[in-house]
Amino acid sequence: MSATATTNLYYEDIELGAQFESAPHSVTPADIAAFADVTRDHHPLHLDEGYARSRGFPAVIAHGLYGLSLMEGLKSELKLYEETSIASLGWDAVRFKAPVVAGDSLRVRFRFVEKRPTRNPDRGIVVEALDLINQRDEVVTEARHVSLILTRHAED
């Protein structure tokens, strides 16, 4: 069950177990090439379809970190913390479970699994469990993300 998207969730609004899902994004060879340029990782698996096919893939594959970055971008499009996010505190338990291939249509599904207050009453920590899912409903990347967000106390 997916919760109805709400803009600007504060720490107090986070309900453990609430689940959200993004709209899909179709990955193109140009997306993969642009990521290669930004990151300076020009391995032929990401840019040369013939090479990728020689390694058993149907087309060029995206960098694992492209998938992780896309997870954050798709989640950001939901605008859950548009004005309440302070910082990303990190990613844990990242696993690249299957390749992301040019032509895949990917969406992110995540749920809130943990939250805890900080010493600063204006801030709280939220942990999300995320899956990046392709058009065949296969999880291609999974991870946990830790965010620092505002509390309602900060707005007083």
Side-chain angles (χ1 to χ4, degrees):
M1 171 190 275
S2 291
T4 303
T6 304
T7 302
N8 291 327
L9 293 175
Y10 288 86
Y11 174 79
E12 294 87 350
D13 301 326
I14 302 300
E15 294 181 27
L16 297 183
Q19 183 170 289
F20 297 86
E21 189 168 307
S22 74
H25 171 75
S26 294
V27 178
T28 67
D31 291 340
I32 297 169
F35 192 84
D37 285 344
V38 167
T39 62
R40 302 179 55 84
D41 180 350
H42 294 98
H43 192 280
L45 279 173
H46 310 305
L47 302 171
D48 182 335
E49 187 163 336
Y51 182 85
R53 287 182 187 279
S54 77
R55 297 300 184 256
F57 300 104
V60 293
I61 61 170
H63 306 70
L65 293 176
Y66 170 88
L68 187 63
S69 296
L70 185 61
M71 290 171 89
E72 179 64 20
L74 291 172
K75 183 176 63 110
S76 293
E77 287 181 346
L78 295 172
K79 300 188 182 298
L80 297 175
Y81 319 123
E82 190 71 6
E83 296 172 7
T84 56
S85 175
I86 298 170
S88 170
L89 298 180
W91 291 83
D92 298 305
V94 176
R95 294 293 174 262
F96 306 126
K97 312 227 1 130
V100 170
V101 179
D104 278 353
S105 179
L106 304 173
R107 65 191 189 281
V108 71
R109 180 183 304 141
F110 76 96
R111 64 188 165 80
F112 294 115
V113 295
E114 185 181 334
K115 67 187 246 187
R116 60 187 181 273
T118 66
R119 285 178 278 175
N120 181 337
D122 292 346
R123 302 170 175 200
I125 294 172
V126 177
V127 181
E128 310 149 347
L130 300 99
D131 291 321
L132 188 63
I133 303 164
N134 67 18
Q135 68 278 4
R136 293 178 300 280
D137 289 327
E138 300 166 332
V139 174
V140 296
T141 306
E142 65 182 20
R144 289 172 65 93
H145 181 240
V146 183
S147 294
L148 185 65
I149 66 172
L150 291 174
T151 65
R152 291 199 180 279
H153 178 75
E155 297 298 309
D156 293 339

